[in-house]
Amino acid sequence: MPIITDARVIITCPGRNFVTLKITCDDGTTGVGDATLNGRELAVAAYLSEHVVPCLIGRDAHRIEDVWQYLYKGAYWRRGPVTMTAIAAVDVALWDVKGKLAGLPVYQLLGGASREACMVYAHANGTTIEDTINVALAERDRGYKAIRLQCGVPGLASTYGVAKPGQRYEPADAALPSESVWSTEKYLRVVPELFAAAREALGPDVHLLHDVHHRLTPIEAGRLGRDLEPYRPFWIEDPTPAENQDAFRLIRQHTTTPVAVGEVFNSIWDCKALIENQLIDYVRATIVHAGGITHLRRVAALADLYQVRTGCHGATDLSPVTMAAALHFGLSIPNFGVQEHMPHTAETDAVFPHSYRFEQGMMHPGDAPGLGVDVDEQLAAGYEYKRAYLPVNRLEDGTLWSW
Ligand SMILES: O=C(O)[C@@H](O)[C@@H](O)[C@H](O)[C@H](O)CO
Ligand SMILES: [Mg+2]
């Protein structure tokens, strides 16, 4: 049996911060897991190096479920984004090791392929509706069948999801949280106009998505969902903060627009009521923040009972290790919906060489044994960690609001 002899936390910043756990076994087999929590990277790095790694040395790397239970129940303090991201990193690295030792890609260990490839969605954002539509047309021409639309709000200097002019979109943009002013009224006026223009320009077949990003109250979300119905959105995402899962009943009472939620979830308990009461249509919990492949399989299995599909988070602050793991996971489960795809920069791709590929709006993890991704430690060492925070929102009267 493969014994864990080393586990290293690798922090690198090729344009943005990533934290990676690399596990090595006594026969030299290695596995990698993403441990990146945007804006709180060092919290997870310390949790791993100070509290998890000492418990891993000497363990049987094949015993993935036992290690998961040991780290989850053994910590006593259960759940939370830091803990579950750390557990996820160990879990994914052990699935990588197991695949390499079996000579099989991880999706084959998860039951094999349930589809030829995974449909992915692109991001189209712009300061104006016109700019956003132009980007969406270009992404459609690249082959994407699904496109997320985010545009600026007239009267607001900046808003979630829209890059600064001429820059790549990277929300963690400052050594202290930058502050944006938010107006729900101004926002609710522009999104239906955006969707009307997008449906007109892109035609009936392209799936159109939108990320509300937790910024509406439940009734406002119901209003937005109803206003967008003529344009048939694929989903509205994070329509309202999801701590109160019951609040989603109010959205369901007012609209048939599909709802996606969960990128900030870190365990099945965050979405159990939403799924069992059919209050959502897609669950966005991810491998890196919700306890790894082992736990997300449980979320997907519960969701499948209620015809809820996956729509995993896949922003650039999730490393290529998570992208690879998400594609193995998405290829294998029966209720895959769609996978978010924000291509990383060439710098990041060089640090994380991988075998997943994009073709005509679909992605496949490749058939390399394990995850088919690694971290180039020499390259990684050349990019020093740089503290960066996500922004905060304030209403026009100064009230702190969801960003
Ligand atoms: O759906 C999405 O991709 C967003 O919600 C993310 O960009 C999110 O804002 C970042 O991942 C936060 O780090
Ligand atoms: Mg989102």
Side-chain angles (χ1 to χ4, degrees):
M1 70 186 162
I3 298 299
I4 298 172
T5 53
D6 185 37
R8 281 199 310 289
V9 179
I10 300 159
I11 303 172
T12 184
C13 186
R16 59 144 300 104
N17 293 314
F18 294 107
V19 181
T20 307
L21 178 73
K22 187 163 206 170
I23 284 177
T24 304
C25 298
D26 53 354
D27 66 351
T29 307
T30 60
V32 288
D34 186 9
T36 308
L37 185 64
N38 202 4
R40 295 297 182 273
E41 293 86 356
L42 297 190
V44 182
Y47 190 101
L48 281 168
S49 47
E50 298 302 323
H51 304 299
V52 171
V53 167
C55 305
L56 291 179
I57 307 305
R59 286 192 178 278
D60 174 358
H62 268 322
R63 297 183 65 176
I64 297 178
E65 184 67 53
D66 182 61
V67 168
W68 197 97
Q69 296 297 331
Y70 181 91
L71 295 177
Y72 180 77
K73 296 186 171 109
Y76 186 75
W77 313 106
R78 298 182 184 191
R79 299 194 285 163
V82 173
T83 301
M84 299 305 281
T85 299
I87 292 175
V90 176
D91 185 76
V92 171
L94 293 181
W95 277 105
D96 194 14
V97 164
K98 191 180 278 287
K100 287 176 179 176
L101 290 173
L104 289 169
V106 166
Y107 75 84
Q108 293 292 15
L109 304 181
L110 301 176
S114 298
R115 56 196 53 77
E116 300 314 309
C118 298
M119 181 173 76
V120 290
Y121 72 85
H123 279 209
N125 69 75
T127 312
T128 65
I129 288 176
E130 186 187 359
D131 293 348
T132 307
I133 302 297
N134 288 336
V135 175
L137 288 165
E139 295 301 351
R140 183 192 61 181
D141 294 347
R142 281 197 188 90
Y144 285 95
K145 304 173 188 341
I147 300 170
R148 188 187 88 158
L149 305 167
Q150 307 291 140
C151 77
V153 177
L156 299 183
S158 63
T159 187
Y160 160 73
V162 179
K164 295 186 180 79
Q167 292 184 30
R168 268 178 77 87
Y169 179 63
E170 174 47 74
D173 59 0
L176 283 172
S178 50
E179 300 209 355
S180 317
V181 175
W182 171 252
S183 159
T184 295
E185 294 71 21
K186 293 184 173 80
Y187 166 78
L188 286 175
R189 282 200 291 270
V190 74
V191 181
E193 290 170 16
L194 169 65
F195 268 71
R199 195 46 86 195
E200 175 68 27
L202 292 153
D205 298 329
V206 175
H207 298 302
L208 301 177
L209 300 81
H210 181 68
D211 191 347
V212 183
H213 217 256
H214 327 274
R215 296 172 294 183
L216 298 181
T217 63
I219 199 68
E220 291 166 346
R223 179 179 141 200
L224 177 63
R226 193 194 53 209
D227 290 352
L228 295 181
E229 281 176 14
Y231 315 111
R232 291 177 296 99
F234 184 85
W235 78 33
I236 53 173
E237 173 189 339
D238 286 330
T240 195
E243 289 92 327
N244 174 8
Q245 298 183 43
D246 252 358
F248 283 67
R249 292 179 194 286
L250 216 45
I251 302 172
R252 281 309 209 209
Q253 286 164 12
H254 293 278
T255 182
T256 57
T257 290
V259 170
V261 76
E263 68 182 47
V264 298
F265 291 172
N266 54 75
S267 90
I268 197 164
W269 304 105
D270 292 331
C271 48
K272 180 173 177 291
L274 289 169
I275 291 169
E276 290 176 340
N277 297 301
Q278 313 269 186
L279 298 180
I280 60 173
D281 304 277
Y282 297 89
V283 57
R284 284 183 47 75
T286 62
I287 283 172
V288 59
H289 298 135
I293 291 170
T294 299
H295 193 60
L296 204 65
R297 287 176 95 190
R298 291 190 159 87
V299 174
L302 173 66
D304 192 31
L305 300 182
Y306 297 88
Q307 301 183 65
V308 172
R309 286 175 284 181
T310 63
C312 296
H313 186 201
T316 41
D317 46 280
L318 285 55
S319 92
V321 176
T322 289
M323 191 75 227
L327 291 169
H328 285 281
F329 172 78
L331 198 68
S332 67
I333 54 171
N335 55 327
F336 169 80
V338 70
Q339 169 62 47
E340 181 172 7
H341 179 227
M342 281 180 80
H344 291 97
T345 62
E347 251 183 327
T348 295
D349 284 345
V351 173
F352 296 96
H354 53 265
S355 59
Y356 56 78
R357 59 184 185 275
F358 172 87
E359 261 169 56
Q360 285 310 313
M362 312 291 279
M363 286 184 79
H364 190 283
D367 285 291
L371 293 173
V373 64
D374 203 346
V375 55
D376 180 324
E377 294 190 59
Q378 201 176 353
L379 263 183
Y383 297 104
E384 202 171 326
Y385 167 78
K386 193 170 160 233
R387 191 179 77 189
Y389 285 88
L390 287 169
V392 298
N393 255 348
R394 288 187 184 276
L395 299 181
E396 287 162 311
D397 69 359
T399 306
L400 205 289
W401 199 253
S402 297
W403 168 70

